[in-house]
Amino acid sequence: MTTPPVSTLQQPPQGATSVQKSRMKGSVTPSEQRLLDNWLNIQAINLMRHAKSLRPFTKDEFGTGPVSPSEAHIEAVNRFIDKFRSKVVEMARWVEAATNAARREPTTERLQVLLERKQVVGDRVLYVEGIWDFYFDLFVQRLSSFGERLRTVDRIAANCYEDLYVGLGTAQPTPSLLPFSYANSGFSPATFRRGVPLRRLRHNPNLFPLIMLPQHRLDNVWALSSVLHEVSHNLQADLGLWEEIPARIYQRLTTEGRFSPEIARVWANWHKETMADMFALVLGGPAAVESLMDVVGRSPTSTVRFSAFSVHPTPYLRVFINLILLRRLGFDTMAGDLTRVWQRLYPRLTPEDIPPAFMKTFYPAAEMVVDTMVFQPYRQFANKSLAQVVKFGPAQMEMVDLAARRLAAGQDPVTVPIRFMISAARLALDKQLATPQVITDNFYRILGRR
């Protein structure tokens, strides 16, 4: 059915009453005018109140105890949103002006101006509201049963940052906005780095590192080495290692190692995930390797699948890369035992799984990659190596052993760095020093309030 031309629509219908005819000629009844005035008035009120509802967060509305968001995080969010809020309030006044003009003279042109402005400003308010909602959802979790658990994760992340920056031995300050954790559904943890545009933020840059954890991971504290891995991605970015690491790997493999450019490119592609694994192991200890085996130990089809273009190392090979570092840190026996366990889980490897050319060079290339990442100096580490900046060896493992026994007994091992407590929980579970639930409850009770 076609729409009649405007001139036809504006003609009084056949048999129209005198009131209808007068309206078509531009005159309105008092009651109609009153209803139009009311409607116009409410449009401006609604829009202005909607804009002003995007208020700043207060430091106490998400709790006042140790589990609440830090004042620095709340202030950063308020400053960020205020840039949008002030503009939106100003635009709402633009609609208010159009409303007043339409009330004085309700012509078609002025009513159309109002409707167009209302649409533009309303869309902008919804844009800002999405950003406000994102941070509200993050912060309000601290009022739920997740609060103490998330605060514990925050403290583990903060301890990683603090100890690494102290280990640099320079005047370089620790970033003021440290990682902030939140719970979500799903299988795998994830992180969103500082400064990276996020869809939930309407593609604006992320203010501070975010660590997303599946709810079930928070129940299994011995598996929280994933936190160390995700924190490590942020350390890589904050220290400026993203560009240098792959270049170093490629250069060393192709020159000193004399590996083909194709082999070197695969290892360079894997640099982010491999480096995060290396960080996690030196920050937290052997539980990082065991937790990795938990995560990537899936069906043979999934675990041995090789891709030369993936940013993640082939899961089967990824465990062996970590075991190379474990051995170099002084844990030969444990590394050997875990190697044999892993090989028993995946006893058959065919040329269809991983190309023979890559497997032939795997161990010498992996040894060189681990050495490049962990044992070579970098200007970002104040011309030290990662192994010098953050130490983990048999002496630190003794601290983990002490912490495991005290954790199982419900006692705070106050002299042990918080970042070691994940390995302590794993050791307590492996040695059956307490039930899984007791270990979990003690872990959060002790660390969430330390």
Side-chain angles (χ1 to χ4, degrees):
M1 179 177 175
T2 59
T3 303
V6 174
S7 59
T8 304
L9 286 174
Q10 291 175 340
Q11 297 301 316
Q14 187 73 23
T17 66
S18 59
V19 172
Q20 289 174 318
K21 290 179 180 179
S22 68
R23 288 176 186 168
M24 296 304 296
K25 294 176 182 178
S27 62
V28 296
T29 66
S31 60
E32 181 182 342
Q33 184 61 52
R34 184 176 66 256
L35 290 173
L36 178 61
D37 282 347
N38 291 343
W39 187 86
L40 291 172
N41 184 49
I42 287 173
Q43 303 319 295
I45 292 173
N46 287 350
L47 198 56
M48 182 62 76
R49 289 177 66 84
H50 193 176
K52 289 184 176 180
S53 72
L54 307 175
R55 55 173 178 76
F57 299 122
T58 65
K59 66 176 183 178
D60 295 338
E61 70 177 289
F62 304 107
T64 57
V67 304
S68 60
S70 75
E71 194 168 339
H73 285 93
I74 291 177
E75 287 179 355
V77 169
N78 283 341
R79 286 194 301 271
F80 176 60
I81 296 178
D82 188 60
K83 293 185 298 184
F84 299 102
R85 183 193 303 109
S86 57
K87 182 65 174 177
V88 163
V89 171
E90 181 182 324
M91 292 176 72
R93 292 194 178 97
W94 184 52
V95 173
E96 192 173 43
T99 299
N100 292 334
R103 292 181 69 190
R104 288 192 303 271
E105 190 178 347
T107 63
T108 299
E109 292 75 18
R110 291 196 171 187
L111 291 172
Q112 290 297 312
V113 167
L114 167 64
L115 293 174
E116 292 292 341
R117 289 187 182 183
K118 179 189 172 186
Q119 178 74 46
V120 170
V121 180
D123 289 347
R124 189 62 180 177
V125 172
L126 291 176
Y127 172 94
V128 181
E129 189 173 52
I131 299 173
W132 191 94
D133 284 345
F134 174 74
Y135 285 112
F136 181 81
D137 291 344
L138 289 186
F139 292 158
V140 82
Q141 284 193 357
R142 299 308 171 100
L143 295 173
S144 72
S145 58
F146 289 117
E148 188 171 71
R149 296 183 170 201
L150 296 174
R151 180 56 177 159
T152 297
V153 173
D154 289 351
R155 287 178 169 170
I156 292 170
N159 184 230
C160 292
Y161 265 80
E162 290 159 0
D163 285 0
L164 186 140
Y165 276 79
V166 168
L168 295 178
T170 66
Q172 187 172 356
T174 305
S176 58
L177 292 173
L178 295 176
F180 190 88
S181 61
Y182 68 103
N184 208 339
S185 59
F187 176 74
S188 300
T191 190
F192 303 98
R193 292 178 285 112
R194 190 191 324 269
V196 173
L198 299 185
R199 181 177 58 84
R200 286 286 308 273
L201 292 178
R202 307 297 197 239
H203 303 287
N204 286 288
N206 185 29
L207 298 180
F208 41 79
L210 295 169
I211 296 177
M212 186 276 288
L213 294 167
Q215 299 177 30
H216 67 272
R217 290 290 183 98
L218 292 168
D219 282 335
N220 301 327
V221 296
W222 43 86
L224 286 179
S225 290
S226 55
V227 171
L228 303 177
H229 178 94
E230 302 304 337
V231 169
S232 297
H233 278 308
N234 293 287
L235 285 167
Q236 290 173 262
D238 285 342
L239 289 168
L241 291 166
W242 285 121
E243 302 299 329
E244 186 153 352
I245 292 289
R248 286 269 201 111
I249 289 171
Y250 184 85
Q251 190 274 336
R252 194 171 179 203
L253 288 179
T254 54
T255 56
E256 183 180 337
R258 297 186 178 181
F259 296 103
S260 70
E262 292 76 18
I263 295 292
R265 270 194 291 273
V266 173
W267 285 100
N269 286 342
W270 290 352
H271 79 97
K272 292 180 183 177
E273 298 301 324
T274 305
M275 189 64 179
D277 283 349
M278 302 294 100
F279 263 107
L281 182 45
V282 298
L283 285 167
V289 185
E290 295 180 278
S291 290
L292 176 64
M293 292 171 66
D294 296 342
V295 173
V296 303
R298 306 177 74 186
S299 72
T301 302
S302 298
T303 302
V304 303
R305 183 183 297 126
F306 177 87
S307 171
F309 305 102
S310 175
V311 297
H312 287 83
T314 302
Y316 173 74
L317 300 177
R318 185 174 173 182
V319 171
F320 290 125
I321 299 168
N322 280 260
L323 291 172
I324 288 171
L325 177 57
L326 187 63
R327 182 174 286 109
R328 288 202 60 175
L329 294 177
F331 300 95
D332 286 336
T333 301
M334 186 177 188
D337 290 343
L338 288 174
T339 297
R340 288 186 288 275
V341 167
W342 193 240
Q343 289 172 332
R344 288 186 65 183
L345 292 172
Y346 302 96
R348 288 180 292 277
L349 192 69
T350 69
E352 287 71 34
D353 297 322
I354 302 176
F358 191 87
M359 282 305 302
K360 182 179 179 180
T361 63
F362 171 72
Y363 272 106
E367 294 273 3
M368 188 168 286
V369 168
V370 170
D371 183 76
T372 302
M373 289 183 163
V374 184
F375 299 97
Q376 297 300 311
Y378 287 84
R379 59 179 176 80
Q380 292 88 346
F381 293 139
N383 296 316
K384 302 175 186 176
S385 68
L386 175 59
Q388 291 172 316
V389 172
V390 182
K391 294 181 173 60
F392 197 97
Q396 286 72 32
M397 195 61 199
E398 289 181 10
M399 298 174 69
V400 171
D401 186 73
L402 169 66
R405 288 182 275 110
R406 292 183 67 86
L407 177 64
Q411 302 167 345
D412 186 353
V414 291
T415 59
V416 176
I418 292 178
R419 57 191 171 88
F420 289 175
M421 295 303 293
I422 299 169
S423 273
R426 182 86 189 207
L427 190 59
L429 184 68
D430 287 345
K431 291 187 173 183
Q432 299 182 1
L433 300 179
T435 66
Q437 193 59 50
V438 167
I439 294 169
T440 300
D441 291 343
N442 289 346
F443 184 91
Y444 287 121
R445 179 179 57 81
I446 292 169
L447 300 186
R449 302 170 189 176
R450 181 187 282 192

